Amino acid sequence: MDKISPETRSRVMAAVRSKNTGPERAVRTLVFALGYRYRLHRNDLPGTPDLVFPGRKKVIFVNGCFWHFHQRCAGFRAPKSRVEFWEGKLTRNRQRDRVNQRALRKLGWKVMVIWECEIKELARLQRKISEFLDSAAEIG
Ligand SMILES: [Zn+2]
């Protein structure tokens, strides 16, 4: 059932390891390999979604586990210093995410969030992406 080639797999995993835009680039590579076409960073949409599928009216956000405060996550480590500062900042990031997602839904867009930590399980992620993009249902 593995639709992607070993070459794609290794390109995705190499992107995961690269810094900064790693997770986002990995998801883009995977989505493209699965045959879907998208636009990037439509800044006229709330939250500037990372991948936009205008024909399907769907968007994907690729969230870093730290900056987007993925609390129940092995990849999230609460900072040990300046705890209040970080708690405030990360909580605000998460609230902003929620506000943006709600605004998108109100505009009729379906929203999927992919967490950085999910990219390690490529087969599962691949299934999740296909389900989201092919169906009328929404996957959070
Ligand atoms: Zn995570």
Side-chain angles (χ1 to χ4, degrees):
M1 278 288 290
D2 203 344
K3 280 192 279 180
I4 59 168
S5 64
E7 290 76 17
T8 302
R9 174 176 295 273
S10 57
R11 263 193 302 146
V12 170
M13 295 323 281
V16 172
R17 285 188 293 272
S18 82
K19 282 180 185 143
N20 302 323
T21 60
E24 192 198 313
R25 196 138 49 85
V27 169
R28 251 190 275 153
T29 304
L30 180 61
V31 167
F32 192 86
L34 291 171
Y36 301 106
R37 298 298 174 259
Y38 49 81
R39 286 157 194 263
L40 298 174
H41 303 127
R42 281 262 308 262
N43 56 19
D44 55 325
L45 292 175
T48 316
D50 297 308
L51 286 80
V52 179
F53 304 84
R56 301 168 196 265
K57 257 210 143 185
K58 290 176 183 178
V59 300
I60 294 179
F61 287 97
V62 183
N63 282 356
C65 293
F66 179 74
W67 289 106
H68 295 269
F69 208 180
H70 198 202
Q71 280 170 302
R72 273 177 244 112
C73 169
F76 181 81
R77 282 179 191 84
K80 298 272 187 283
S81 63
R82 303 183 72 201
V83 173
E84 269 173 44
F85 166 80
W86 283 111
E87 266 181 17
K89 184 168 183 56
L90 297 177
T91 301
R92 280 194 301 280
N93 284 354
R94 195 175 47 185
Q95 280 164 352
R96 199 175 49 213
D97 287 346
R98 284 197 188 136
V99 167
N100 286 331
Q101 287 165 23
R102 209 175 304 138
L104 280 164
R105 289 187 178 110
K106 270 200 180 139
L107 292 168
W109 292 85
K110 295 207 164 35
V111 179
M112 177 164 91
V113 173
I114 295 174
W115 292 96
E116 185 183 358
C117 59
E118 291 182 276
I119 299 170
K120 285 164 205 141
E121 287 189 70
L122 269 192
R124 194 155 166 257
L125 178 61
Q126 198 180 314
R127 214 159 42 233
K128 190 177 162 180
I129 289 170
S130 297
E131 273 170 28
F132 173 69
L133 291 177
D134 292 340
S135 81
E138 183 158 347
I139 300 164

